Amino acid sequence: MSKISGAESQIMEALWANGQMTADEIVQAVGPQQSWGEATVKTLINRLLKKKALASERTGGRAIYRVLVSREDYVTGESQGLLDRLFGGQVAPLVAHYAQHRALSAEEVARLKKLIAEFESDDD
């Protein structure tokens, strides 16, 4: 599957949240918050169809759209791509970058410590 753009990901998010949707439902779900008209949303839907990220099925004279890629697979691919491009595939430099350029809350630090502890216990 080709890379999904930021705009296209808005369409995908609506479908992941709501399941199968018509074009009109997608327009209603994402159009107003993005200030997109019907033509823009339909263009994005067509791009996603060409990328094989969506499938459509005709029911009662209307196209119903559904995702062909899970949100988990999409997030995994996007995050791995980010790690590879910016941090040589390494997680530690990513975390260090955020810690140096954005203050981590006590809750975030605690969550990171808990994750590390879980990974360490899995290695035993």
Side-chain angles (χ1 to χ4, degrees), residues 39-105:
T40 300
V41 173
K42 288 184 176 182
T43 296
L44 294 169
I45 290 170
N46 284 326
R47 286 183 190 168
L48 289 164
L49 288 166
K50 288 178 186 172
K51 291 179 179 184
K52 307 281 190 234
L54 297 183
S56 68
E57 179 181 312
R58 284 263 207 243
T59 305
R62 302 178 91 184
I64 305 289
Y65 300 96
R66 64 181 171 82
V67 295
L68 294 177
V69 60
S70 71
R71 188 173 193 288
E72 182 179 341
D73 288 345
Y74 169 72
V75 169
T76 298
E78 286 293 306
S79 54
Q80 188 61 53
L82 175 74
L83 277 177
D84 292 345
R85 283 189 317 276
L86 301 179
F87 300 100
Q90 301 295 308
V91 173
L94 168 75
V95 175
H97 172 79
Y98 279 105
Q100 291 169 354
H101 293 80
R102 176 181 166 267
L104 296 175
S105 69

